Structure formats: C-alpha cells, structure tokens
Amino acid sequence: MRAGTVAVLGATGKTGSAVAAAALHAGLAVRGTTRHPGQADGPAGVEWHQADALTGDGLTHALTGAEAAYLIVPNVHPAEVEMVDLVAQAATEAGVDRVVYHSVADPHDARMAHHLRKARAETVLRGVRPEAVVLRPCAYQQNLLGAALAGRLEVPYRVSAPFSLVDLGDIAEVAVAALSGQLEPGSTHVLGGPEELTVEDLARTATRVLGRPVTASSITIEQWRSGPGARTQGCALTDLLAMFEAYDQTGFTVDPTPLTHLLGRPPTTWTQLLSKETS
C-alpha cells in the first residue's frame, strides 16, 4: 500500500469521479469501488475494486488498507440509510481512519423524501462513526452546464426561482481536504455557490459569456416525464417530482460563507465555469 490511499465509493458517477480525480491530482492513491470493475469508467489512475454498498459484498476487502473513505450514494436511492450503515460498519472493520459522507444542503427539508433519507443516514453514520465529516452541498452548476452550452435551459419548475448553484470542482476540492484529515473530525459543512441566480439569470449570463443566445423556459411535468424523465420510475420518480415542486416554491439557496472559508478563496462563479468550458 502507498501512503495516502483513499477509497471513493461510487467513483464511476459524476460526483465520485470528480472527487477521485481531485484526489489523484493532490497526490493521493485512489481506490474506486464498483460492482463491475471490468466496466469501470473513471479517471485514469484509479485502482478499481469490486464492492457492492447495497449488499455489503466486498466492502471490507475494498476498504482494508485505505486511510480514508468517501461515501456517496446514487442520487435518490431508496436504500441510502441502509447503504450508509453498511459502509460505516465495513470501514470500521477495515480500520479506515476517516470517513467522509456526501449529504445534501437542507437535509431536514420535509418536502423532499430523499433529503430526509440523507438526514437519517447522517444520524446512522454518527452512531457508528461520530468523527465522520459530513459535506452538505447545494445543487451543482454542472447540472445545467450542458443545457446552457446547447443554448436552451428547460426546467420543470419556475425559471425565476433562486439557486446557490455550486461548482462540482469546488466540492471535490473540499472533499480531498476532508479525506486528507484537514477538516475537524465530526464536523458538518454546508457548501453553496457564491451567487443566488435564477435559471433566467443563468441563461442571460450564458448568452453574454458564450456570445450566442441561450434561452430559459419552464416545461410541464408531463413534458419532463416524456422527455428527460422518460426512464425515471418508482421511488426515484416520486422523489424528483417532490424536488421539482420544492424548487418551484422556494428554489434552493444556502449561505456561501462556509465554502469560501474552506477554499480560502471565493467559490467558482457561473461565469467562471462557462468561461473555462469555452477557453
């Protein structure tokens, strides 16, 4: 084992892949867990291990020898609490020193069941690993980046709702600090972007930065279900529809101060992200 080995559960996903890439850039050795190592698609340099956070199969083996583990569960997964419990137990059995959990901003928002599951998962994790670090990010700028670059932002909620969208790269930077032991054990950190912007604001900014028209419009739930959400079913569908309703009511905003403090610099703005993508 090399010094500074960290395990990233879910390293094939958008967030896990970003965290793994940031950890590699910081000089850490990275293990990624996946149910199908032969099909793993992630950053070059990740050492893949077969493990299943839903059943627990392979977890202890994959985590043994790692100094820290980053735990992220697939979005709106109905078994999040159980999976977090399994990973926490396996990390303890494997002798992992530090556990970092990827939660969500406002986990106690009763309007959204998947937020409440993360709140329960935090409680379960603290019961097993009270020293674990919890990160609570807001929604990502990257969630709307592709649509902005394509020239059309269409969302199933009002385009005038405010959001504190945060750059995934900034989240990954904080995640690496947590994995490296730079954050206080047992601490919880809310991570929001530096601006409160509506989807209309995002489109106007994108139009200016990209030098071409970018539109913003609301679509109906029926249009979303027949388009982007066509394959979404069951609990995931229920959760996302509740989230869209919450977004329509209040948007999703948080205080940007904690992230600014953790980064030691202003967080990445929407303008900066767009400029980087087009440079």
Side-chain angles (χ1 to χ4, degrees), residues 24-168:
L24 288 166
H25 182 74
L28 299 172
V30 178
R31 290 181 174 186
T33 68
T34 174
R35 288 178 296 174
H36 307 290
Q39 303 173 21
D41 182 17
V46 172
E47 178 186 321
W48 295 102
H49 287 251
Q50 185 170 5
D52 190 336
L54 185 59
T55 64
D57 293 344
L59 277 177
T60 301
H61 177 73
L63 293 171
T64 298
E67 297 175 6
Y70 194 82
L71 170 55
I72 178 167
V73 173
N75 195 30
V76 298
H77 199 292
E80 177 135 12
V81 178
E82 294 79 5
M83 293 168 77
V84 168
D85 188 25
L86 277 175
V87 174
Q89 299 285 356
T92 300
E93 184 177 346
V96 175
D97 293 332
R98 293 179 296 278
V99 175
V100 183
Y101 173 50
H102 189 99
S103 185
V104 69
D106 294 334
H108 299 286
D109 190 330
R111 298 174 299 173
M112 295 179 279
H114 67 293
H115 278 224
L116 294 178
R117 285 197 295 273
K118 287 189 179 293
R120 293 197 298 274
E122 287 185 19
T123 300
V124 167
L125 176 63
R126 295 287 192 213
V128 181
R129 301 293 300 252
E131 83 294 343
V133 172
V134 173
L135 304 184
R136 292 178 174 177
C138 198
Y140 302 154
Q141 295 173 359
Q142 280 77 2
N143 292 347
L144 294 176
L145 178 61
L149 294 175
R152 180 179 294 182
L153 291 169
E154 294 181 332
V155 294
Y157 44 84
R158 62 185 173 94
V159 293
S160 59
F163 291 85
S164 301
L165 298 181
V166 63
D167 173 47
L168 180 54

Side-chain angles (χ1 to χ4, degrees), residues 184-199:
E184 181 180 355
S187 58
T188 298
H189 306 274
V190 178
L191 309 176
E195 309 162 291
E196 285 193 12
L197 299 175
T198 67
V199 176

Side-chain angles (χ1 to χ4, degrees), residues 7-24:
V8 179
L9 285 83
T12 57
K14 176 168 60 178
T15 300
S17 182
V19 171
L24 288 166

Side-chain angles (χ1 to χ4, degrees), residues 179-223:
L179 290 167
S180 302
Q182 299 174 41
L183 303 190
E184 181 180 355
S187 58
T188 298
H189 306 274
V190 178
L191 309 176
E195 309 162 291
E196 285 193 12
L197 299 175
T198 67
V199 176
E200 291 173 323
D201 294 330
L202 298 175
R204 279 193 291 267
T205 299
T207 295
R208 173 177 55 82
V209 174
L210 300 176
R212 58 180 184 270
V214 178
T215 62
S217 60
S218 296
I219 60 174
T220 65
I221 293 299
E222 290 71 23
Q223 288 172 319

